[in-house]
Amino acid sequence: MKASKLDELRQDIDQLDQEMISLLAKRFQLTEEVGIYKATHKLAAQDSGREQQQFDKIRRLAESRKLDGEHASVIYRCIMDLAIARHKEIEQAHKESASIL
């Protein structure tokens, strides 16, 4: 039986979901390294100046691809909030291990 157009579209979405998860995993691996670097060098877990630059870039990039810039910003706010929360966890763990020594 031939797959319907809906089935084909869903298969394409499933493929994109796999690629997006792979890219998110790579992104979070890098932000983990950033968190460790920040904790080691006593840098703040959150950098509002960098965030603003990133959001400006994300909006421009999204709009250049015909994606609503505000929608992209909402998605990236979630991603960044998770990374920041992890940076704070790493920072706290680093402080606790330093106080033991």
Side-chain angles (χ1 to χ4, degrees):
M1 183 165 118
K2 187 178 179 200
S4 71
K5 180 66 174 173
L6 180 58
D7 290 336
E8 290 174 15
L9 292 169
R10 286 178 172 164
Q11 287 175 359
D12 289 346
I13 289 170
D14 290 346
Q15 178 60 41
L16 286 173
D17 286 343
Q18 289 179 24
E19 293 172 28
M20 289 169 56
I21 293 299
S22 177
L23 290 172
L24 278 172
K26 289 178 185 177
R27 189 182 199 287
F28 280 112
Q29 287 170 352
L30 290 170
T31 60
E32 183 80 5
E33 290 182 40
V34 167
I36 293 166
Y37 182 91
K38 285 180 172 183
T40 303
H41 293 85
K42 295 182 171 63
L43 299 172
Q46 188 169 6
D47 181 342
S48 58
R50 167 79 174 156
E51 280 184 39
Q52 187 57 52
Q53 290 172 346
Q54 288 298 96
F55 280 111
D56 292 344
K57 179 185 73 176
I58 293 303
R59 281 188 200 95
R60 285 192 310 273
L61 184 59
E63 290 167 1
S64 75
R65 304 258 190 317
K66 308 291 189 237
L67 177 65
D68 184 295
E70 189 58 34
H71 291 169
S73 292
V74 169
I75 293 165
Y76 268 84
R77 179 77 267 163
C78 291
I79 293 169
M80 287 184 178
D81 285 348
L82 290 169
I84 292 164
R86 179 63 185 138
H87 290 178
K88 289 177 180 177
E89 290 173 358
I90 294 168
E91 178 183 50
Q92 185 62 36
H94 187 74
K95 285 179 182 176
E96 289 172 4
S97 67
S99 69
I100 293 171
L101 301 176

